[in-house]
């Protein structure tokens, strides 16, 4: 298995994982546009299928936002998301990014734990109509290399 940048050929696998992972999935065109940003994938070297992906966008003032992380349900709990996060943080550091943010559903315990283990801290709450629709913004400050 390995992490690499995504290409157009990966988009069908990514869209399938997305559909299995989110109630309001991005479609093919969204991911196609995301290729202009940073889209990395985790590939199963035996099947050559993409089993996880992460999308990040660099913004102004040395800031980046992680837009998406997902792992195929059959491949979860094998530290694939942890590896994807580690890889993206290295890439962002090399680009001179200092602050990384991610919005996460308050009820998504597995994602919150994943980000906390990578060093992210809850910075603010974005209240919605009910608690199960509210979000945390989690932040990580990258050390300058
Ligand atoms: C969240 C998600 C990306 C985690 O992927 P993963 O590859 O299974 O995660 P990892 O194996 O790297 O787990 C890292 C840590 O996250 C936490 N975690 C992962 N799955 C968990 C679960 N089902 N319950 C509780 N904690 C969990 C654990 O703390 C775990 O650390 P550990 O391995 O020391 O126990 C995956 O569950 C997923 O795709 N979910 C649907 C999409 C989603 O919610 N994405 C995040 C949107 S913000």
């Amino acid at each position: 298995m390995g992490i690499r940048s995504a290409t157009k050929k990966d988009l069908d696998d990514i869209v399938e994982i997305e559909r299995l992972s989110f109630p309001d999935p991005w479609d093919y065109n969204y991911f196609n546009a995301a290729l202009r940003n940073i889209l990395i994938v985790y590939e199963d070297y035996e099947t050559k299928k993409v089993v996880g992906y992460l999308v990040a966008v660099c913004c102004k003032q040395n800031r980046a936002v992680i837009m998406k992380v997902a792992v195929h349900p059959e491949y979860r709990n094998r530290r694939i998301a942890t590896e994807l996060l580690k890889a993206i943080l290295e890439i962002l550091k090399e680009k001179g990014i200092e602050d990384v943010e991610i919005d996460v559903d308050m009820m998504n315990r597995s994602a919150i734990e994943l980000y906390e283990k990578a060093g992210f801290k809850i910075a603010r709450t974005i209240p919605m109509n009910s608690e199960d629709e509210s979000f945390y913004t989690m932040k990580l400050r990258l050390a300058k290399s």
Side-chain angles (χ1 to χ4, degrees), residues 58-64 88-100 141-145:
C58 294
C59 311
K60 286 181 188 155
Q61 292 164 339
N62 299 340
R63 194 175 136 258
I88 199 72
L89 294 179
E90 277 307 312
I91 292 169
L92 295 176
K93 217 162 143 179
E94 276 169 25
K95 289 182 180 292
I97 296 294
E98 291 170 11
D99 292 296
V100 188
R141 189 154 183 88
L142 291 174
K144 281 188 190 159
S145 48

Side-chain angles (χ1 to χ4, degrees), residues 1-132:
M1 300 233 212
I3 291 175
R4 58 171 173 77
S5 292
T7 69
K8 217 165 182 159
K9 284 188 195 145
D10 299 318
L11 294 182
D12 287 337
D13 285 347
I14 291 173
V15 168
E16 171 67 0
I17 299 169
E18 172 83 2
R19 195 184 57 76
L20 294 168
S21 300
F22 296 102
D24 49 352
W26 283 10
D27 64 14
Y28 185 97
N29 293 331
Y30 260 81
F31 282 103
N32 197 21
L35 286 172
R36 286 198 296 266
N37 298 308
I38 310 172
L39 178 52
I40 57 169
V41 294
Y42 198 101
E43 184 185 78
D44 181 329
Y45 74 90
E46 278 174 10
T47 63
K48 298 282 177 229
K49 281 190 89 106
V50 166
V51 297
Y53 60 89
L54 186 153
V55 181
V57 180
C58 294
C59 311
K60 286 181 188 155
Q61 292 164 339
N62 299 340
R63 194 175 136 258
V65 179
I66 295 176
M67 309 288 292
K68 288 271 178 190
V69 190
V71 172
H72 191 288
E74 286 169 18
Y75 285 80
R76 288 183 189 162
N77 299 313
R78 300 188 199 178
R79 302 262 162 92
I80 291 174
T82 302
E83 290 298 317
L84 284 164
L85 263 180
K86 230 165 88 183
I88 199 72
L89 294 179
E90 277 307 312
I91 292 169
L92 295 176
K93 217 162 143 179
E94 276 169 25
K95 289 182 180 292
I97 296 294
E98 291 170 11
D99 292 296
V100 188
E101 279 187 27
I102 186 157
D103 287 341
V104 51
D105 187 324
M106 264 172 91
M107 306 305 278
N108 194 345
R109 279 308 322 164
S110 53
I112 293 167
E113 267 192 42
L114 166 75
Y115 305 133
E116 280 176 340
K117 284 190 175 165
F120 284 79
K121 299 231 178 337
I122 295 170
R124 63 173 179 269
T125 305
I126 307 168
M128 299 299 225
N129 298 334
S130 66
E131 196 174 80
D132 62 343

